Amino acid sequence: MNQLLARDIKNYMRKLLFLVVAIIFVIAFRVANPEVVSSFTRRVTLPFKVALLYAEEPEREIAVPVDGVRLSHVRDSWHAPRSGMRLHEGQDIFAERGTIVHSAMRGYVVRKGENELGGNTVFVMGAGGRRYYYAHLDSYAPGLAVGDYVTRETALGHVGTTGNAAGTPPHLHFGVYTSGAAINPLPLMRDMGEN
Ligand SMILES: [Zn+2]
């Protein structure tokens, strides 16, 4: 009987020791790698934050997302004919190669990567579940990652000619998508801040 009790205590102590070691390990990891933990936390909490933003009303006004470009300088290219039966589903905003592209509104980076037409692209999800598409980027803003919260002040990348814009004057292709379809970004754009 005493032996059994002793074994129970031993097992219990072993479990307790394991728990203490685990707690110390987690604390030590947090202290040693605050960035790793915060990026992990961000990734885990991202779906909830995105869901909250999704429930909000979509923005009525967004910024012209290229530094130094005023709205009056944006030539309307919505639904301009493109190769095949395609219509142009966005606005092309021309600027010198390397000009900073910033987010048109607040939101979360939901995709960042290359595709055939768009070249280097970033998708930001904003209020109401609208998605904002930035394409033909020469390069991405340093450190930009999926899950980042962005505002109108956040740089996403630089104007370029990647994707099917190769050989054209450098420009940002800017698209706005609701759950179903592309909408014209032009009526939403305003001169704000430094533009
Ligand atoms: Zn375009």
Side-chain angles (χ1 to χ4, degrees), residues 32-47:
N33 303 288
E35 279 154 44
V36 173
V37 173
S38 80
S39 89
F40 174 76
T41 310
R42 228 184 311 151
R43 212 155 274 195
V44 169
T45 57
L46 182 65

Side-chain angles (χ1 to χ4, degrees), residues 77 82 86 88-94 117 133 135-136 164-165 171-175:
S77 56
R82 288 292 189 263
R86 249 169 11 100
H88 188 240
E89 295 200 317
Q91 291 291 345
D92 288 337
I93 303 170
F94 293 84
L117 291 178
Y133 179 54
H136 308 319
N164 71 345
H171 65 276
L172 170 74
H173 173 91
F174 180 49

Side-chain angles (χ1 to χ4, degrees), residues 117-192:
L117 291 178
N120 296 326
T121 69
V122 174
F123 267 102
V124 173
M125 204 213 74
R130 266 205 209 134
R131 282 169 307 129
Y132 298 82
Y133 179 54
Y134 304 83
H136 308 319
L137 300 173
D138 200 50
S139 57
Y140 301 106
L144 187 80
V146 169
D148 283 358
Y149 176 72
V150 297
T151 68
R152 294 201 305 259
E153 278 75 47
T154 310
L156 302 177
H158 304 94
V159 171
T161 53
T162 54
N164 71 345
T168 70
H171 65 276
L172 170 74
H173 173 91
F174 180 49
V176 180
Y177 295 87
T178 61
S179 56
I183 60 170
N184 186 358
L186 195 61
L188 298 169
M189 286 198 279
R190 300 283 181 276
D191 289 319
M192 291 180 192

Side-chain angles (χ1 to χ4, degrees), residues 45-78:
T45 57
L46 182 65
F48 301 102
K49 293 185 202 156
V50 168
L52 285 176
L53 195 60
Y54 206 99
E56 287 183 31
E57 281 290 305
E59 316 273 354
R60 294 209 179 120
E61 300 184 345
I62 60 178
V64 180
V66 179
D67 270 15
V69 175
R70 296 194 65 83
L71 185 57
S72 55
H73 292 136
V74 179
R75 282 261 293 281
D76 189 3
S77 56
W78 172 253

